[in-house]
Every structure is written in structure tokens, then in C-alpha cells.
Amino acid sequence: MGAGRVCRGGPSSSPAGAAAGRPFPPLAASSSSASPSSAPSETASTSVTKTVNGSHHFKIAGYSLSKGIGVGKYIASESFSVGGFDWAIYFYPDGKSGEDGAAYVSLFIALASEGTDVRALFELTLVDQSGKGQDKVHTHFGRSLESGPYTLKYRGSMWGYKRFFKRSALETSDYLKDDCLLVNCTVGVVQSHTEGPKIYTIPVPPSNMAQHIGQLLTSGKRTDITFEIDGEMFPAHKVVLSARSPVFRAQLFGPMKDKNMKCIKIEDMEAPVFKLSCKPMGLSICSKAAHLF
């Protein structure tokens, strides 16, 4: 390939030669008390334990008709899902235990799906329908637990009260209205997981910089220098040339730059050859021309 000369320009510069290598100094003798060459790596993680909460509202209509169903027999709510498990409310109009002789109503929350050692917090509320807000509440939430959350071992395991309310008192209270009872239930399933350092990944599309630079050249916008080959002119951009070639960087922006330089003339090369060499696959002339020098 022929050498290039500059129209109305100064002498071109070339990169400095590499310095000759020198041998490494001898290694110092190590001692038994020497400290490690690098500090030990440190990592961290966090164990997070929380409750996943959900509530269900259960209306028991026709309470008087449910009496006499029998001790140990219950009326069940529809099942509802909390924390990945199904649950149900069991109401025993004649009580759950025969030893009470149907003197109490019983109320329980039951695990209605398969599960092993499911840990949860519970709240059962019998709603005061007089509007006075005197609800009867039994809750795990908002108070310290001596033995932690309650553990249910298998499907059908329950938490609640055999003597939830004395039946004679219930039937004369504001909790019973129009032969209906309202029960609210809240379940908080305990879940634990360990968190490590968060690693974020951002998908990066393939680079299309070459296409954009090619479009910039084709548009002819902001070109500030021209290659002249065999009488044909090829516009280019100085900043792209300097970014791609240390020779052009020194020639166009170095201490010996010529502010009036507008044309770089290439000798001993035909224009079609230059064009093919500098625009394969849509790359711009000024980007690829930098590698010709």
C-alpha cells in the first residue's frame, strides 16, 4: 500500500517504539512470620423470617338449627389459601369435647391441605353485631410468644378453643343477631429464606455502532476532512479517525497538528480498492481507513 501525504498539512507523526525490557529483580526470601499476600475474602447473607397473612370471613346463618348436630361434629367454612396452604374454620355448635356436655361452642382453624410442620400465627374473632365494637378476640398477633408460632404437623391439624364461648351466654349476647354469627379468621404463615448479595443483570443487545457510524458517513453530516484517492474524494470525520488510529490522533489532534488540514491524499492506491477496503459490512470509511496506516 502506498504512503500518504497531506494536502496543506504538516508532517505526519508515528507511534513511539516500545522500550526494551529489563530483567525482574530477584525475589526476597520469605520468612515464617510474613503476613498473607492478600486479605481473606468476605461474604455476607441474611436470613429473613416473616409471615404471609390472609383473612377469611365466615357467616354462620341459622345458628339455632345447627344445635343438636352432636358433640364433635362441625360446620366448616369454605377453604381459603394463605401462604401456599389451604385453611378452613370449624365451628362446633355442641362443642368438640363430650366432657363439656354441649355447654360450650368450639371454634378452630384447621389445615385443609397437605403440609408438614407448618408454622403459623392465628387470630379468631367473634364479631359484636351491636356496633359497640366489643368483639371477642383470641390472637397470636401483636404479642410476645413464649414458644413461638404454633406448629401444625399434618392435614387436619387444628388450633383453637374447645371452650370458645359458653353456649347459654352466646345465645343472649350481641354476637348473635337474626340467628347469625359472624366469625373473622386471620392466618399468618411463617416463611424463612436466606438472601445473598443482589446481582442484577441487564441484557445488552449486539453492538450496532458500526452501522450508525456508516449512516453518519453516508449522510455527509459534520464531515471535516476528506480522503483523496486517484482524483476521487471520500469525506470522513476527524474524531473517528483519531479514535481508531494513534497515527491520525497525533496528526490531527497532536502538538504538531495543522488546523488548516482539510484533505489527506493517498497515493499508489486506486479509489475502488480503497472503497472496498474501508466499507465491508457497512463500516464507515473513516472508521476502517484508520487501520490502513
Side-chain angles (χ1 to χ4, degrees), residues 154-233:
Y154 48 84
R155 180 176 184 174
S157 298
M158 295 186 292
W159 174 89
Y161 296 88
K162 290 191 297 183
R163 297 180 177 182
F164 183 78
F165 212 112
K166 195 166 185 178
R167 193 162 73 170
S168 59
L170 175 65
E171 293 172 358
T172 58
S173 71
D174 291 329
Y175 301 109
L176 183 65
K177 181 180 180 181
D178 298 330
D179 205 26
C180 290
L181 297 172
L182 300 179
V183 176
N184 293 338
C185 165
T186 299
V187 178
V189 178
V190 179
Q191 294 182 347
S192 298
H193 67 278
T194 299
E195 296 179 352
K198 294 186 179 297
I199 300 176
Y200 299 95
T201 58
I202 301 175
V204 179
S207 175
N208 54 3
M209 182 181 294
Q211 178 185 355
H212 290 165
I213 293 177
Q215 292 171 351
L216 180 66
L217 176 68
T218 303
S219 69
K221 294 180 179 180
R222 302 294 183 181
T223 57
D224 51 7
I225 198 165
T226 303
F227 286 96
E228 181 183 348
I229 299 94
D230 197 19
E232 189 172 347
M233 310 303 287

Side-chain angles (χ1 to χ4, degrees), residues 209-264:
M209 182 181 294
Q211 178 185 355
H212 290 165
I213 293 177
Q215 292 171 351
L216 180 66
L217 176 68
T218 303
S219 69
K221 294 180 179 180
R222 302 294 183 181
T223 57
D224 51 7
I225 198 165
T226 303
F227 286 96
E228 181 183 348
I229 299 94
D230 197 19
E232 189 172 347
M233 310 303 287
F234 297 90
H237 301 82
K238 289 182 180 180
V239 292
V240 179
L241 290 170
S242 65
R244 302 285 287 177
S245 167
V247 175
F248 282 130
R249 189 181 311 120
Q251 188 172 358
L252 300 174
F253 296 100
M256 302 300 292
K257 67 181 180 181
D258 183 354
K259 295 182 179 179
N260 298 319
M261 183 184 297
K262 300 295 183 182
C263 173
I264 298 177

